[in-house]
Amino acid sequence: IAGITQAPTSQILAAGRRMTLRCTQDMRHNAMYWYRQDLGLGLRLIHYSNTAGTTGKGEVPDGYSVSRANTDDFPLTLASAVPSQTSVYFCASSDGGNTDTQYFGPGTRLTVL
Amino acid sequence: GQNIDQPTEMTATEGAIVQINCTYQTSGFNGLFWYQQHAGEAPTFLSYNVLDGLEEKGRFSSFLSRSKGYSYLLLKELQMKDSASYLCAATDSNYQLIWGAGTKLIIKP
């Protein structure tokens, strides 16, 4: 059982380029989340999905979009990357709502130059 | 506003006990999580407190006081592998998690 996988592990990207971070879970969890983690700051929620077919905005959604076509996959897209989007991105999932334990993927380290 | 406060860094000795405090202020609080995060890795779940009191799980215990907006994580018989960041997170009225910046725990032999 893999749990949650993320790809790529790391990426260096030129500003203005489009980038999609992939996230797949095999636990059949209903809810999925995208966070960014920056030094000195807590995890900040970008977007979430409570169930397949629905998405919602988190604390810092600007510049990012998501889709949830099925239960397993929750890709995060940066339409036109900017240097302030340099961060470590974590995908997470939980069985129910936010009061359920969230399980995290290994993260994607993204550098935008 | 909503806020989670925890110390930035703590140092402790192998075999000792350490208490990591967390104070929170959120609207519509439902519960408080503690996660462990080793450097360069993903956060992993440690505990979840909904009711006041202490919950013990092996060497780790977590305490919650809802009236004081306060929690702590207690780590006993510290081992070198406990060197990590410990993240406190509380739910808000939208059932989202508000995360603290984490406490980096350094264990010295």
Side-chain angles (χ1 to χ4, degrees):
Chain A
I1 296 177
I4 300 182
T5 58
Q6 292 184 236
T9 302
S10 64
Q11 182 75 43
I12 298 174
L13 190 66
R17 296 297 295 270
R18 180 184 180 89
M19 176 74 189
T20 295
L21 307 186
R22 299 184 298 280
C23 174
T24 299
Q25 55 108 354
D26 64 4
M27 297 178 283
R28 308 303 295 173
H29 283 170
N30 288 315
M32 297 186 74
Y33 316 87
W34 273 106
Y35 292 95
R36 61 177 290 172
Q37 187 175 41
D38 302 292
L39 195 63
L41 299 177
L43 289 162
R44 292 184 292 170
L45 183 66
I46 304 170
H47 285 287
Y48 65 93
S49 169
N50 287 330
T51 189
T54 68
T55 63
K57 294 181 179 180
E59 179 186 357
V60 289
D62 294 343
Y64 306 95
S65 64
V66 292
S67 62
R68 187 88 184 277
N70 56 61
T71 298
D72 298 344
D73 300 301
F74 191 44
L76 175 74
T77 297
L78 290 68
S80 179
V82 295
S84 62
Q85 292 178 312
T86 293
S87 187
V88 179
Y89 291 86
F90 286 104
C91 179
S93 71
S94 69
D95 192 30
N98 278 290
T99 53
D100 287 334
T101 300
Q102 295 186 15
Y103 297 89
F104 286 79
T108 293
R109 184 175 295 275
L110 182 67
T111 302
V112 183
L113 301 176
Chain B
Q2 304 192 111
N3 196 47
I4 305 284
D5 285 319
Q6 50 181 135
T8 302
E9 185 176 296
M10 299 181 69
T11 301
T13 303
E14 190 177 15
I17 299 173
V18 71
Q19 177 175 312
I20 302 174
N21 296 324
C22 170
T23 57
Y24 63 88
Q25 184 177 11
T26 65
S27 56
F29 175 81
N30 286 290
L32 189 129
F33 289 88
W34 284 97
Y35 278 75
Q36 181 189 61
Q37 185 178 25
H38 285 101
E41 297 182 8
T44 55
F45 170 78
L46 286 178
S47 67
Y48 176 51
N49 292 68
V50 176
L51 302 176
D52 285 358
L54 184 69
E55 293 205 7
E56 299 183 71
K57 192 183 295 184
R59 294 190 298 115
F60 292 7
S61 302
S62 56
F63 172 84
L64 177 66
S65 169
R66 295 174 70 109
S67 62
K68 296 182 178 178
Y70 168 70
S71 173
Y72 68 73
L73 181 69
L74 191 71
L75 292 75
K76 303 176 184 177
E77 301 171 14
L78 287 170
Q79 302 175 10
M80 298 304 293
K81 67 179 182 179
D82 297 331
S83 292
S85 289
Y86 291 86
L87 314 181
C88 172
T91 55
D92 69 6
S93 58
N94 295 319
Y95 295 95
Q96 302 297 340
L97 285 180
I98 307 299
W99 294 81
T103 298
K104 182 178 180 180
L105 178 63
I106 299 169
I107 308 297
K108 294 186 175 180

